[in-house]
Amino acid sequence: MAKDQVERRQAAREKARQIAQAQANREKRAKTILWSGIAVVVVAVIAVIVVLIVHSSRPAVGPATMVNGGVTLTQGEKGTTVVAHPSDKENVPDGLPAYDSGKQKENAAHVDVYLDFQCPACKSFEDTNGAALTKLMESGDITVTYHPVSILDGASGGNKFATRAANAFMCVADAKNDDKLVDVIQNIFAQQPEEGGSGMEDDQLLGILEKSGVDLDAKTTVLEEQPTVRDCVTNVSFEKYVQQATKTAQDRDLKGTPRIQVNGKDVEPKVWANPQSFGRTLLEATGQIGGQK
């Protein structure tokens, strides 16, 4: 009898041990599955973060005719045409005609205009000097690079007019409406919304482009599926490029707009605000009158 009790106790202990071992094994498996799941999630999160970082570090896609946020215009065989910036003579960007392929004179001066379509002083510059710049460009005396930026988005009641207007200009540039770009600039400034107002709606921007002779159904070049100018405007397709171009300009010491440079040298506001003084600066830069080119 005593022997039977001992065997029963041993059997009970063995069964209890087996039950405990089985429970321990289940818990171990559960922990393994749990940590494996956590590891998979962590890896997935890291992968997403890496993709986001890589994506955000990529340069934004810009219009085919623009480099570093600027489009350079000169006189061509059939009117205004786009060429590379004179600083890129030795390294012409892909897809752009060389600077010297234009019909400008050999001693032509170059003007860089940094503008914000919401900026009242930029409108003043255009009102004061726009016609003269166009005339001198048509005669081959100057070439002009326009750099639209968006510094004053906060001055349009949340409408982000500066970005959206710059984007509209870029949509036209990407559709290679070279001969319409100056008119687009002039007509947007002619209807510039009041600073601190509510900006301008898409229909108004599209109306300005139409008034400038732009074909709103023309296809863009670099964007996926090549949307029309109309869709490019309403979708603000170049928004990221506008932001990138603005940062590039600020990295180049842009403090405000307009910033006007002639042959790479800044022109003081008191000079460009006076059409006679600015005209003289341009003629001096071409060597047509006394002064340093």
Side-chain angles (χ1 to χ4, degrees):
M1 186 73 177
K3 182 180 179 181
D4 289 343
Q5 290 179 339
V6 170
E7 289 177 348
R8 284 198 296 271
R9 282 198 295 270
Q10 287 177 341
R13 283 198 294 270
E14 177 60 22
K15 188 174 182 179
R17 186 192 67 77
Q18 290 175 356
I19 293 172
Q21 184 63 47
Q23 179 64 29
N25 289 341
R26 284 195 294 271
E27 291 178 358
K28 184 178 180 181
R29 283 196 298 271
K31 287 180 180 179
T32 299
I33 293 171
L34 174 63
W35 286 110
S36 296
I38 291 173
V40 169
V41 171
V42 170
V43 169
V45 170
I46 291 174
V48 170
I49 292 172
V50 169
V51 169
L52 291 174
I53 291 173
V54 170
H55 182 74
S56 64
S57 64
R58 288 178 183 169
V61 175
T65 54
M66 299 186 77
V67 177
N68 293 325
V71 58
T72 301
L73 303 177
T74 187
Q75 186 66 14
E77 291 284 358
K78 299 180 181 180
T80 305
T81 191
V82 172
V83 293
H85 193 276
S87 64
D88 292 324
K89 283 185 178 181
E90 304 301 321
N91 188 22
V92 180
D94 291 341
L96 279 180
Y99 177 77
D100 292 333
S101 68
K103 298 302 177 183
Q104 68 271 15
K105 297 175 182 177
E106 184 177 351
N107 63 341
H110 184 71
V111 183
D112 283 280
V113 179
Y114 292 83
L115 59 89
D116 184 316
F117 284 111
Q118 184 64 75
C119 158
C122 298
K123 172 176 166 53
S124 177
F125 172 81
E126 177 60 34
D127 291 346
T128 302
N129 302 295
L133 287 180
T134 300
K135 183 176 180 180
L136 288 170
M137 184 167 59
E138 290 174 346
S139 65
D141 289 301
I142 66 170
T143 56
V144 184
T145 299
Y146 289 101
H147 306 261
V149 298
S150 59
I151 298 173
L152 296 176
D153 267 343
S156 56
N159 180 274
K160 297 179 71 173
F161 173 70
T163 289
R164 291 172 50 253
N167 172 77
F169 176 84
M170 292 179 182
C171 294
V172 176
D174 193 49
K176 298 189 176 180
N177 281 225
D178 302 355
D179 59 337
K180 305 298 190 297
L181 291 172
V182 171
D183 288 339
V184 169
I185 290 172
Q186 292 174 346
N187 289 329
I188 290 178
F189 277 127
Q191 298 186 48
Q192 183 186 67
E194 182 180 354
E195 193 173 17
S198 58
M200 190 181 289
E201 298 302 323
D202 288 340
D203 286 347
Q204 294 171 284
L205 274 173
L206 291 170
I208 289 173
L209 299 190
E210 275 195 306
K211 179 181 178 181
S212 304
V214 175
D215 178 4
L216 298 182
D217 294 319
K219 295 284 189 178
T220 53
T221 303
V222 302
L223 297 168
E224 289 185 19
E225 300 183 3
Q226 295 183 308
T228 63
V229 171
R230 186 191 312 275
D231 290 338
C232 178
V233 171
T234 57
N235 294 327
V236 199
S237 299
F238 287 113
E239 181 175 10
K240 289 184 179 180
Y241 187 74
V242 174
Q243 296 168 352
Q244 178 179 296
T246 302
K247 184 178 185 306
T248 297
Q250 291 171 329
D251 289 344
R252 293 178 174 179
D253 205 32
L254 177 70
K255 297 293 191 296
T257 53
R259 182 184 189 182
I260 313 301
Q261 295 178 313
V262 175
N263 289 344
K265 297 179 180 179
D266 285 307
V267 178
E268 294 184 14
K270 67 180 181 181
V271 174
W272 61 251
N274 183 309
Q276 288 76 31
S277 296
F278 187 55
R280 181 178 179 84
T281 297
L282 293 175
L283 293 176
E284 286 177 352
T286 65
Q288 295 183 46
I289 63 175
Q292 300 249 336
K293 184 175 178 179

